[in-house]
Amino acid sequence: MKKRAKFLTNVTDVNKIYMRNVIKDGDIVVDATMGNGNDTKFLAELVGQNGFIYAFDVQPQALEETSRLLEKSGFTENVSLILDGHENILKHVDREVDFVIFNLGYLPRADHNVKTRPETTIKAVEGALSLLKQNGIMSIAMYTGHDGGKEERDMVYSYLEKLPQDEFSVMENIFVNQVNNPPQLLIVEKI
Amino acid sequence: MKKRAKFLTNVTDVNKIYMRNVIKDGDIVVDATMGNGNDTKFLAELVGQNGFIYAFDVQPQALEETSRLLEKSGFTENVSLILDGHENILKHVDREVDFVIFNLGYLPRADHNVKTRPETTIKAVEGALSLLKQNGIMSIAMYTGHDGGKEERDMVYSYLEKLPQDEFSVMENIFVNQVNNPPQLLIVEKI
């Protein structure tokens, strides 16, 4: 009997399913939480030579790691690595975008005190929504296991669930039979 | 500026994204709620000549419509249209399957009194879960706008959210900023 690969591993992989279906060659995209650069690289592969990626992080370490990762994979053009908080997105991105990704929380294997925070996250989300093209997509993965994660999740969630349904579609993805604060993925489309 | 197509239209389309990513050529699949046959036809395209589809409905009208639809599209082999309630799934399907789809509620443009019901739905879901291969997927779209829909949704939801997380992953997809009983999609993977 043919063996099947695991499908629903975690919200990161579920998010990749959406990204593969949403992002096209030539798209303009934003990685609002660069971190170790894995998403930045994945986005670079999806948008190709005709696309463009803006990636944000406040940690020089993140830019170094991402830079190395992109060079190794041959994706160095069409990427702007920005050493600034994502709440300043509107200072750096001055055109409409197709897709924005947020992976909230802290960077694994780095200083866990450096993490996204509710106030700056909300400002970044507002900015990102204003930049989205019609039918552009924003995806936000939220983790509640770490200190402050639940407050951030609640603030982002209550902001997004109040978006008017004639302007935005907001879809939640969550593993409902997992104990211990399962991560949550929100997908927002501008209508 | 390049125009984007709408992405998050409704749970049916979100479900199609999953199906395209889950179902491979040669897969054995079950359409537990044949209805007008649209899903049956979509499944037939995905599994191809080497796959097989079992489709269930209690209404002769559903089998007639689906039969016509499949003939028009040239998919008549490798499909078994079964005039029986999906609660009897184990009487008709005697091998492991890769994927099962449920679209609960009633058939649009038909008698709205003929609809799925909590007790038989749960029995069908139990049967379907027992048939799934390792890493096989079940998807259930639930609608709560019609009479009895909310009871059915509650019963299915509380059954699925209690599935042990070391045996099944249960992911919910729901539009959180929609009023008026937005439909809900549950994706279950056997681990």
Coordinates of all heavy atoms in Angstrom, one line a residue, chain A residues 1-8 14 17-18 21-22 25-27 96 98 133-137 157 160-161 163-165 168-179 186-187 189 191, chain B residues 1-8 14 17-18 21-22 24-27 96 98 133-137 157 160-161 163-165 168-179 186-187 189 191:
Chain A
M1 N 0.8 -1.2 0.0 CA 0.0 0.0 0.0 C 0.9 1.2 0.0 O 1.8 1.3 0.7 CB -0.9 0.0 1.2 CG -2.0 1.0 1.2 SD -3.0 0.9 2.7 CE -1.9 1.5 3.9
K2 N 0.5 2.2 -0.9 CA 1.2 3.5 -1.0 C 1.2 4.2 0.4 O 0.2 4.3 1.0 CB 0.5 4.3 -2.0 CG 1.3 5.3 -2.7 CD 0.5 6.0 -3.8 CE -0.9 6.3 -3.4 NZ -1.6 7.3 -4.3
K3 N 2.4 4.6 0.8 CA 2.4 5.4 2.1 C 2.2 6.9 1.9 O 2.6 7.4 0.9 CB 3.8 5.1 2.7 CG 3.6 4.4 4.0 CD 4.9 4.4 4.9 CE 4.7 4.8 6.3 NZ 5.9 4.9 7.1
R4 N 1.4 7.5 2.8 CA 1.2 8.9 2.7 C 2.1 9.7 3.5 O 2.5 9.3 4.6 CB -0.3 9.2 3.1 CG -1.4 8.5 2.3 CD -2.7 9.0 2.7 NE -2.8 10.4 2.5 CZ -3.1 11.0 1.3 NH1 -3.3 10.2 0.3 NH2 -3.1 12.3 1.2
A5 N 2.4 10.9 3.1 CA 3.2 11.8 3.9 C 2.3 12.5 4.9 O 1.1 12.7 4.6 CB 3.9 12.8 3.0
K6 N 2.8 12.9 6.0 CA 2.1 13.6 7.0 C 1.7 15.0 6.4 O 2.5 15.6 5.7 CB 2.9 13.8 8.3 CG 2.1 14.2 9.5 CD 2.7 13.8 10.8 CE 2.1 14.6 12.0 NZ 0.6 14.8 11.9
F7 N 0.5 15.4 6.7 CA 0.0 16.6 6.0 C -0.2 17.8 7.0 O 0.4 18.8 6.9 CB -1.4 16.3 5.4 CG -2.0 17.5 4.7 CD1 -1.4 18.1 3.6 CD2 -3.2 18.0 5.1 CE1 -2.0 19.2 2.9 CE2 -3.8 19.1 4.4 CZ -3.2 19.7 3.4
L8 N -0.9 17.6 8.1 CA -1.2 18.6 9.1 C -0.1 18.6 10.2 O -0.4 18.1 11.3 CB -2.5 18.5 9.7 CG -3.8 18.7 8.8 CD1 -5.0 18.4 9.6 CD2 -3.8 20.1 8.3
V14 N 0.9 24.4 7.4 CA -0.4 24.8 6.9 C -0.2 26.1 6.2 O -0.7 26.4 5.1 CB -1.4 24.9 8.0 CG1 -2.8 25.4 7.5 CG2 -1.7 23.5 8.6
I17 N 1.1 25.8 2.8 CA 0.1 25.4 1.8 C -0.6 26.6 1.2 O -0.7 26.8 0.0 CB -0.9 24.5 2.4 CG1 -0.3 23.2 2.9 CG2 -2.1 24.2 1.4 CD1 -1.2 22.3 3.8
Y18 N -0.9 27.5 2.1 CA -1.6 28.8 1.6 C -0.6 29.6 0.8 O -1.0 30.1 -0.3 CB -2.1 29.6 2.8 CG -3.3 29.1 3.5 CD1 -3.2 28.6 4.8 CD2 -4.5 29.0 2.8 CE1 -4.4 28.1 5.4 CE2 -5.6 28.4 3.4 CZ -5.5 28.0 4.7 OH -6.6 27.5 5.4
N21 N -0.3 28.5 -2.7 CA -1.5 28.8 -3.5 C -1.7 30.3 -3.7 O -2.4 30.6 -4.7 CB -2.7 28.2 -2.8 CG -2.8 26.7 -3.1 OD1 -3.3 26.2 -4.1 ND2 -2.2 25.9 -2.2
V22 N -1.2 31.1 -2.9 CA -1.5 32.6 -2.9 C -0.5 33.3 -3.8 O -0.8 34.2 -4.5 CB -1.6 33.2 -1.5 CG1 -1.4 34.7 -1.5 CG2 -2.8 32.8 -0.8
D25 N 4.6 34.2 -9.2 CA 5.8 34.8 -9.8 C 5.6 36.3 -10.0 O 4.6 36.7 -10.5 CB 6.1 34.1 -11.1 CG 7.4 34.5 -11.7 OD1 8.4 34.1 -11.2 OD2 7.3 35.4 -12.7
G26 N 6.5 37.1 -9.5 CA 6.4 38.5 -9.7 C 5.7 39.3 -8.6 O 5.6 40.5 -8.6
D27 N 5.3 38.6 -7.6 CA 4.6 39.2 -6.5 C 5.5 40.1 -5.6 O 6.7 39.8 -5.5 CB 3.8 38.2 -5.6 CG 2.5 37.8 -6.1 OD1 2.1 38.3 -7.2 OD2 1.8 37.0 -5.5
E96 N 2.0 49.1 -3.1 CA 1.0 48.0 -2.7 C 1.7 46.7 -2.7 O 2.6 46.4 -3.6 CB -0.2 48.1 -3.6 CG -1.1 49.3 -3.4 CD -2.4 49.1 -4.1 OE1 -2.4 48.8 -5.3 OE2 -3.5 49.1 -3.4
D98 N 1.3 42.2 -2.3 CA 0.4 41.0 -2.6 C 0.3 40.2 -1.3 O -0.8 39.6 -1.1 CB 1.0 40.1 -3.7 CG 1.1 40.8 -5.0 OD1 0.0 40.8 -5.7 OD2 2.1 41.4 -5.4
K133 N -2.8 45.0 -1.6 CA -3.6 45.1 -2.8 C -5.0 44.5 -2.6 O -5.2 43.7 -1.7 CB -3.0 44.3 -4.0 CG -1.8 44.9 -4.6 CD -1.3 44.0 -5.8 CE 0.1 44.4 -6.2 NZ 0.6 43.4 -7.2
Q134 N -5.9 44.8 -3.5 CA -7.2 44.1 -3.5 C -6.9 42.6 -3.7 O -6.2 42.2 -4.5 CB -8.1 44.6 -4.6 CG -9.5 44.1 -4.4 CD -10.5 44.5 -5.5 OE1 -10.0 45.1 -6.5 NE2 -11.7 44.2 -5.4
N135 N -7.6 41.8 -2.8 CA -7.3 40.4 -2.8 C -5.9 40.0 -2.3 O -5.5 38.8 -2.5 CB -7.7 39.7 -4.1 CG -9.1 39.9 -4.5 OD1 -10.0 40.0 -3.6 ND2 -9.4 40.1 -5.8
G136 N -5.2 40.9 -1.8 CA -3.9 40.6 -1.2 C -4.2 39.9 0.2 O -5.2 40.0 0.8
I137 N -3.2 39.1 0.6 CA -3.3 38.3 1.8 C -2.3 38.6 2.9 O -1.1 38.8 2.6 CB -3.1 36.8 1.4 CG1 -4.2 36.4 0.3 CG2 -3.2 35.9 2.6 CD1 -5.5 36.0 0.8
Y157 N -6.1 39.1 17.9 CA -7.3 38.4 17.5 C -8.5 39.4 17.6 O -9.3 39.4 16.7 CB -7.5 37.2 18.4 CG -8.6 36.3 18.0 CD1 -8.2 35.2 17.1 CD2 -9.9 36.4 18.3 CE1 -9.2 34.3 16.7 CE2 -10.9 35.6 17.9 CZ -10.5 34.5 17.1 OH -11.5 33.6 16.6
L160 N -8.5 41.8 14.7 CA -8.8 41.2 13.4 C -10.3 40.8 13.3 O -10.9 40.9 12.3 CB -7.9 40.1 13.1 CG -6.4 40.4 12.9 CD1 -5.6 39.2 12.6 CD2 -6.3 41.4 11.7
E161 N -10.8 40.2 14.4 CA -12.2 39.7 14.3 C -13.2 40.9 14.2 O -14.3 40.7 13.9 CB -12.5 38.8 15.5 CG -12.8 39.5 16.8 CD -13.3 38.6 17.9 OE1 -13.6 37.4 17.6 OE2 -13.3 39.0 19.1
L163 N -12.6 43.5 12.1 CA -12.5 44.1 10.8 C -13.8 43.9 10.0 O -14.4 42.8 10.1 CB -11.4 43.4 10.0 CG -9.9 43.7 10.5 CD1 -8.9 42.9 9.6 CD2 -9.6 45.2 10.4
P164 N -14.3 44.9 9.4 CA -15.6 44.8 8.7 C -15.6 43.8 7.6 O -14.6 43.7 6.8 CB -15.8 46.2 8.1 CG -14.5 46.9 8.2 CD -13.7 46.3 9.3
Q165 N -16.6 42.9 7.6 CA -16.5 41.8 6.7 C -16.7 42.1 5.2 O -16.5 41.3 4.3 CB -17.5 40.7 7.1 CG -19.0 41.0 6.8 CD -19.9 39.8 7.2 OE1 -20.2 39.6 8.4 NE2 -20.3 39.0 6.3
F168 N -12.7 43.0 4.7 CA -11.7 42.0 4.9 C -12.4 40.6 5.2 O -13.4 40.6 5.9 CB -10.8 42.3 6.1 CG -9.9 43.5 5.8 CD1 -10.3 44.8 6.3 CD2 -8.7 43.4 5.2 CE1 -9.5 45.9 6.1 CE2 -7.9 44.6 5.0 CZ -8.3 45.8 5.4
S169 N -11.8 39.5 4.7 CA -12.2 38.2 5.2 C -11.1 37.7 6.1 O -9.9 37.8 5.8 CB -12.2 37.2 4.0 OG -13.2 37.5 3.1
V170 N -11.5 37.3 7.3 CA -10.5 36.9 8.3 C -10.8 35.4 8.7 O -11.9 35.1 9.2 CB -10.6 37.7 9.6 CG1 -9.5 37.3 10.6 CG2 -10.5 39.2 9.3
M171 N -9.9 34.5 8.3 CA -10.1 33.1 8.6 C -9.1 32.6 9.6 O -7.9 32.8 9.5 CB -9.9 32.3 7.3 CG -10.4 30.8 7.5 SD -10.3 29.8 6.0 CE -8.5 29.8 5.8
E172 N -9.6 31.9 10.6 CA -8.8 31.3 11.6 C -8.5 29.8 11.4 O -9.4 29.1 10.9 CB -9.5 31.5 13.0 CG -8.8 30.9 14.2 CD -9.6 30.9 15.4 OE1 -10.8 31.3 15.4 OE2 -9.1 30.5 16.5
N173 N -7.3 29.4 11.6 CA -6.9 28.0 11.5 C -6.4 27.6 12.9 O -5.4 28.2 13.3 CB -5.8 27.7 10.5 CG -6.3 28.1 9.1 OD1 -6.5 27.2 8.3 ND2 -6.4 29.3 8.8
I174 N -7.0 26.6 13.5 CA -6.4 26.2 14.8 C -6.6 24.7 15.1 O -7.6 24.2 14.6 CB -7.1 27.1 16.0 CG1 -6.4 26.8 17.3 CG2 -8.6 26.8 16.1 CD1 -6.7 27.8 18.4
F175 N -5.7 24.1 15.7 CA -5.8 22.7 16.1 C -6.7 22.6 17.3 O -6.2 23.0 18.4 CB -4.4 22.1 16.3 CG -3.7 21.9 15.0 CD1 -2.7 22.8 14.5 CD2 -4.0 20.8 14.1 CE1 -2.1 22.6 13.3 CE2 -3.3 20.6 12.9 CZ -2.4 21.5 12.5
V176 N -7.9 22.1 17.2 CA -8.8 22.2 18.3 C -8.7 21.0 19.3 O -9.3 21.1 20.3 CB -10.3 22.2 17.7 CG1 -10.5 23.5 17.0 CG2 -10.6 21.0 16.8
N177 N -8.0 20.0 18.9 CA -7.9 18.8 19.9 C -6.5 18.8 20.5 O -6.1 17.7 21.0 CB -8.2 17.5 19.2 CG -7.2 17.0 18.3 OD1 -6.5 17.8 17.6 ND2 -7.0 15.7 18.1
Q178 N -5.7 19.9 20.5 CA -4.4 19.9 21.1 C -4.5 20.7 22.4 O -5.1 21.7 22.5 CB -3.4 20.6 20.2 CG -3.0 19.8 19.0 CD -2.0 20.4 18.1 OE1 -1.4 21.4 18.5 NE2 -1.7 19.8 17.0
V179 N -3.8 20.1 23.4 CA -3.7 20.8 24.7 C -2.5 21.6 24.7 O -1.8 21.7 23.7 CB -3.7 19.7 25.9 CG1 -5.0 19.0 26.0 CG2 -2.5 18.8 25.7
L186 N -4.0 33.0 11.5 CA -5.0 33.8 10.9 C -4.7 34.3 9.5 O -3.5 34.7 9.3 CB -5.3 35.0 11.8 CG -6.0 34.7 13.1 CD1 -5.9 35.9 14.1 CD2 -7.5 34.4 12.9
I187 N -5.6 34.1 8.6 CA -5.4 34.5 7.2 C -6.4 35.6 6.9 O -7.6 35.4 7.0 CB -5.6 33.3 6.2 CG1 -4.8 32.1 6.6 CG2 -5.4 33.7 4.8 CD1 -3.4 32.1 6.3
E189 N -7.8 38.5 4.1 CA -7.8 38.9 2.7 C -8.5 40.3 2.6 O -9.5 40.4 3.1 CB -8.5 37.9 1.8 CG -8.6 38.4 0.3 CD -9.1 37.3 -0.6 OE1 -9.6 36.2 -0.2 OE2 -9.0 37.5 -1.9
I191 N -10.7 42.8 0.7 CA -11.7 42.5 -0.4 C -11.8 43.7 -1.3 O -11.6 44.9 -0.9 CB -13.1 42.3 0.3 CG1 -13.0 41.0 1.1 CG2 -14.2 42.2 -0.8 CD1 -14.3 40.8 1.9
Chain B
M1 N -1.0 47.7 -12.8 CA -0.7 46.7 -11.7 C -1.5 45.4 -12.0 O -2.6 45.4 -12.3 CB -1.2 47.4 -10.4 CG -0.7 46.7 -9.2 SD -1.3 47.5 -7.7 CE -3.0 47.2 -7.7
K2 N -0.8 44.3 -11.8 CA -1.4 43.0 -11.9 C -2.6 42.8 -11.0 O -2.4 43.1 -9.8 CB -0.3 42.0 -11.6 CG -0.4 40.6 -12.2 CD 0.8 39.8 -11.9 CE 1.3 39.9 -10.5 NZ 2.1 38.8 -10.0
K3 N -3.7 42.3 -11.5 CA -4.8 42.1 -10.6 C -4.8 40.7 -10.0 O -4.4 39.8 -10.7 CB -6.1 42.3 -11.5 CG -7.0 43.5 -11.0 CD -8.3 43.5 -11.6 CE -9.4 43.7 -10.5 NZ -10.7 43.7 -11.0
R4 N -5.2 40.6 -8.8 CA -5.2 39.3 -8.1 C -6.6 38.7 -8.1 O -7.6 39.5 -8.0 CB -4.8 39.5 -6.6 CG -3.4 40.1 -6.5 CD -3.0 40.0 -5.0 NE -3.1 38.6 -4.5 CZ -2.1 37.7 -4.7 NH1 -1.0 38.1 -5.3 NH2 -2.2 36.5 -4.2
A5 N -6.7 37.4 -8.1 CA -8.0 36.7 -8.0 C -8.4 36.6 -6.5 O -7.5 36.6 -5.7 CB -7.9 35.4 -8.6
K6 N -9.7 36.6 -6.2 CA -10.1 36.5 -4.9 C -9.7 35.1 -4.4 O -9.7 34.1 -5.1 CB -11.6 36.6 -4.8 CG -12.2 36.8 -3.4 CD -13.5 37.5 -3.4 CE -14.2 37.4 -2.1 NZ -13.3 37.5 -0.9
F7 N -9.2 35.0 -3.1 CA -8.7 33.8 -2.6 C -9.6 33.1 -1.6 O -10.0 32.0 -1.8 CB -7.3 34.0 -2.0 CG -6.6 32.8 -1.4 CD1 -6.2 31.8 -2.3 CD2 -6.3 32.8 -0.1 CE1 -5.6 30.7 -1.7 CE2 -5.7 31.7 0.4 CZ -5.3 30.6 -0.4
L8 N -9.9 33.8 -0.5 CA -10.8 33.3 0.5 C -12.2 33.5 0.2 O -12.8 34.4 0.8 CB -10.4 33.9 1.9 CG -9.1 33.6 2.5 CD1 -8.9 34.4 3.8 CD2 -8.9 32.1 2.7
V14 N -11.8 27.0 0.2 CA -10.7 26.7 1.1 C -10.5 25.2 1.1 O -9.3 24.7 1.0 CB -10.9 27.2 2.5 CG1 -9.8 26.8 3.4 CG2 -11.0 28.8 2.5
I17 N -8.5 24.0 -1.8 CA -7.1 24.2 -1.7 C -6.5 23.0 -1.0 O -5.5 22.4 -1.4 CB -6.8 25.5 -0.9 CG1 -7.3 26.7 -1.6 CG2 -5.3 25.6 -0.6 CD1 -7.3 28.0 -0.8
Y18 N -7.1 22.5 0.1 CA -6.6 21.4 0.8 C -6.6 20.1 -0.1 O -5.7 19.4 -0.1 CB -7.4 21.1 2.1 CG -7.1 22.1 3.2 CD1 -8.1 23.0 3.6 CD2 -5.8 22.2 3.8 CE1 -7.8 23.9 4.6 CE2 -5.6 23.1 4.7 CZ -6.6 24.0 5.2 OH -6.3 24.9 6.2
N21 N -3.9 19.8 -2.5 CA -2.6 19.5 -1.8 C -2.6 18.1 -1.2 O -1.5 17.6 -1.0 CB -2.3 20.5 -0.8 CG -1.8 21.8 -1.4 OD1 -0.6 22.0 -1.7 ND2 -2.7 22.8 -1.7
V22 N -3.7 17.5 -0.9 CA -3.8 16.2 -0.2 C -3.9 15.1 -1.2 O -3.2 14.0 -1.0 CB -5.0 16.2 0.8 CG1 -5.3 14.8 1.2 CG2 -4.7 17.1 2.0
K24 N -3.7 12.7 -4.3 CA -2.8 12.4 -5.4 C -3.4 11.4 -6.3 O -4.3 10.7 -6.0 CB -1.5 11.7 -4.8 CG -0.9 12.4 -3.6 CD -0.2 13.7 -3.9 CE 0.4 14.4 -2.7 NZ 0.3 15.9 -2.8
D25 N -2.8 11.3 -7.5 CA -3.2 10.4 -8.5 C -3.2 8.9 -7.9 O -2.2 8.6 -7.2 CB -2.2 10.4 -9.7 CG -2.5 9.5 -10.8 OD1 -3.5 9.9 -11.5 OD2 -1.9 8.5 -11.0
G26 N -4.2 8.2 -8.1 CA -4.3 6.8 -7.6 C -4.9 6.7 -6.3 O -5.0 5.6 -5.8
D27 N -5.3 7.8 -5.6 CA -5.9 7.7 -4.3 C -7.3 7.1 -4.3 O -8.0 7.2 -5.2 CB -5.9 9.1 -3.6 CG -4.6 9.5 -3.0 OD1 -3.7 8.8 -3.0 OD2 -4.6 10.7 -2.4
E96 N -8.9 0.5 3.1 CA -8.4 1.8 3.6 C -8.5 2.9 2.6 O -8.3 2.6 1.4 CB -7.0 1.6 4.1 CG -6.9 0.8 5.4 CD -5.5 1.0 6.0 OE1 -4.5 0.7 5.3 OE2 -5.5 1.4 7.2
D98 N -7.8 7.1 1.4 CA -6.8 8.3 1.6 C -7.5 9.5 2.0 O -6.9 10.4 2.7 CB -6.1 8.6 0.2 CG -5.2 7.5 -0.2 OD1 -4.1 7.4 0.3 OD2 -5.7 6.6 -1.0
K133 N -6.4 5.6 6.0 CA -5.0 5.2 6.1 C -4.2 6.1 7.1 O -4.7 7.2 7.4 CB -4.3 5.4 4.8 CG -4.6 4.4 3.7 CD -3.9 4.8 2.4 CE -4.4 3.9 1.3 NZ -3.8 4.3 0.0
Q134 N -3.0 5.7 7.5 CA -2.2 6.6 8.2 C -1.9 7.8 7.4 O -1.6 7.7 6.2 CB -0.9 5.9 8.6 CG -0.1 6.7 9.6 CD 1.3 6.1 9.9 OE1 1.7 5.2 9.3 NE2 2.0 6.7 10.9
N135 N -2.1 9.0 8.0 CA -1.9 10.3 7.3 C -3.1 10.6 6.3 O -3.0 11.5 5.5 CB -0.6 10.5 6.7 CG 0.5 10.4 7.7 OD1 0.4 10.9 8.8 ND2 1.7 9.9 7.3
G136 N -4.1 9.7 6.3 CA -5.3 10.0 5.5 C -6.1 11.2 6.1 O -5.9 11.5 7.3
I137 N -6.8 11.9 5.3 CA -7.5 13.1 5.7 C -9.0 13.0 5.6 O -9.5 12.5 4.6 CB -7.0 14.3 4.8 CG1 -5.5 14.5 4.9 CG2 -7.8 15.6 5.1 CD1 -5.0 15.2 6.2
Y157 N -18.7 18.7 16.3 CA -17.5 19.5 16.8 C -17.0 18.9 18.1 O -15.8 18.7 18.3 CB -17.9 20.9 17.0 CG -16.7 21.8 17.2 CD1 -16.0 22.4 16.2 CD2 -16.2 22.1 18.5 CE1 -14.9 23.2 16.4 CE2 -15.1 22.9 18.7 CZ -14.5 23.5 17.7 OH -13.4 24.3 17.9
L160 N -15.3 15.6 17.5 CA -13.9 15.7 16.9 C -12.9 16.4 17.9 O -11.7 16.0 17.9 CB -14.0 16.5 15.6 CG -14.8 15.8 14.5 CD1 -14.8 16.6 13.2 CD2 -14.1 14.4 14.2
E161 N -13.3 17.4 18.6 CA -12.4 18.1 19.5 C -11.9 17.2 20.6 O -10.9 17.5 21.3 CB -12.9 19.4 20.0 CG -13.9 19.3 21.1 CD -14.4 20.6 21.7 OE1 -13.7 21.6 21.5 OE2 -15.4 20.6 22.5
L163 N -11.1 13.9 20.1 CA -10.2 12.9 19.5 C -8.8 13.0 20.1 O -8.3 14.1 20.2 CB -10.2 13.0 18.0 CG -11.4 12.6 17.2 CD1 -11.2 12.8 15.7 CD2 -11.8 11.1 17.5
P164 N -8.2 11.9 20.6 CA -6.9 12.0 21.2 C -5.8 12.6 20.2 O -5.8 12.1 19.1 CB -6.6 10.5 21.6 CG -7.6 9.7 20.9 CD -8.7 10.5 20.5
Q165 N -5.1 13.5 20.7 CA -4.2 14.2 19.8 C -3.0 13.4 19.3 O -2.3 13.8 18.4 CB -3.7 15.6 20.4 CG -2.7 15.4 21.5 CD -2.2 16.8 22.0 OE1 -2.9 17.5 22.7 NE2 -1.1 17.3 21.5
F168 N -5.1 11.6 16.2 CA -5.7 12.5 15.1 C -5.3 13.9 15.3 O -5.2 14.4 16.5 CB -7.2 12.4 15.1 CG -7.8 11.1 14.8 CD1 -8.2 10.2 15.8 CD2 -8.0 10.7 13.5 CE1 -8.7 8.9 15.6 CE2 -8.5 9.4 13.2 CZ -8.8 8.5 14.2
S169 N -5.0 14.6 14.3 CA -4.9 16.1 14.3 C -6.2 16.7 13.8 O -6.7 16.2 12.7 CB -3.8 16.6 13.4 OG -2.5 16.2 13.8
V170 N -6.8 17.6 14.5 CA -8.1 18.2 14.1 C -7.9 19.7 14.0 O -7.7 20.4 14.9 CB -9.2 17.9 15.1 CG1 -10.5 18.4 14.6 CG2 -9.3 16.4 15.4
M171 N -8.0 20.2 12.8 CA -7.8 21.6 12.5 C -9.1 22.2 12.1 O -9.8 21.8 11.2 CB -6.8 21.9 11.5 CG -6.4 23.3 11.4 SD -5.1 23.7 10.2 CE -6.0 23.4 8.7
E172 N -9.5 23.3 12.7 CA -10.7 24.1 12.4 C -10.3 25.3 11.5 O -9.3 26.0 11.8 CB -11.3 24.6 13.7 CG -12.6 25.4 13.5 CD -13.1 26.0 14.8 OE1 -12.4 25.8 15.9 OE2 -14.1 26.6 14.8
N173 N -11.2 25.5 10.5 CA -11.0 26.7 9.7 C -12.4 27.5 9.8 O -13.4 26.9 9.5 CB -10.9 26.4 8.2 CG -9.6 25.6 8.0 OD1 -8.6 26.2 7.4 ND2 -9.5 24.4 8.4
I174 N -12.3 28.7 10.2 CA -13.6 29.4 10.3 C -13.4 30.9 10.1 O -12.3 31.5 10.4 CB -14.3 29.2 11.7 CG1 -15.7 29.8 11.7 CG2 -13.4 29.7 12.8 CD1 -16.5 29.4 12.9
F175 N -14.3 31.6 9.4 CA -14.3 33.0 9.1 C -14.7 33.7 10.4 O -15.9 33.7 10.7 CB -15.1 33.4 7.9 CG -14.5 32.9 6.6 CD1 -14.9 31.8 6.0 CD2 -13.5 33.7 6.1 CE1 -14.4 31.4 4.8 CE2 -12.9 33.2 4.9 CZ -13.3 32.1 4.2
V176 N -13.8 34.3 11.1 CA -14.1 34.9 12.4 C -14.7 36.2 12.4 O -15.3 36.7 13.4 CB -12.8 34.9 13.4 CG1 -12.4 33.5 13.7 CG2 -11.7 35.7 12.7
N177 N -14.7 36.9 11.3 CA -15.3 38.3 11.3 C -16.6 38.3 10.5 O -17.0 39.4 10.1 CB -14.3 39.3 10.8 CG -14.1 39.2 9.3 OD1 -14.1 38.1 8.7 ND2 -13.8 40.3 8.6
Q178 N -17.2 37.1 10.3 CA -18.5 37.1 9.6 C -19.6 36.9 10.6 O -19.6 36.1 11.5 CB -18.5 36.0 8.6 CG -17.6 36.2 7.4 CD -17.7 35.1 6.3 OE1 -18.5 34.2 6.4 NE2 -16.9 35.2 5.3
V179 N -20.7 37.7 10.4 CA -21.9 37.5 11.2 C -22.8 36.5 10.5 O -22.4 35.9 9.5 CB -22.7 38.9 11.3 CG1 -21.9 39.8 12.1 CG2 -23.1 39.4 10.0
L186 N -13.7 21.6 9.2 CA -12.8 20.8 10.0 C -12.0 19.8 9.2 O -12.5 19.1 8.3 CB -13.6 20.1 11.1 CG -14.1 21.0 12.2 CD1 -15.2 20.3 13.1 CD2 -13.0 21.5 13.1
I187 N -10.7 19.8 9.4 CA -9.8 18.9 8.7 C -9.2 18.0 9.7 O -8.6 18.4 10.6 CB -8.6 19.7 7.9 CG1 -9.2 20.8 7.1 CG2 -7.8 18.7 7.2 CD1 -9.8 20.3 5.8
E189 N -6.7 14.6 10.4 CA -5.7 13.7 9.9 C -5.5 12.6 10.9 O -5.3 12.8 12.1 CB -4.4 14.4 9.6 CG -3.2 13.5 9.2 CD -2.0 14.2 8.6 OE1 -1.9 15.4 8.9 OE2 -1.2 13.6 8.0
I191 N -3.1 10.0 12.5 CA -1.7 10.0 12.8 C -1.1 8.6 12.7 O -1.7 7.7 13.2 CB -1.3 10.7 14.1 CG1 -1.8 12.2 14.0 CG2 0.2 10.7 14.4 CD1 -1.7 12.9 15.3

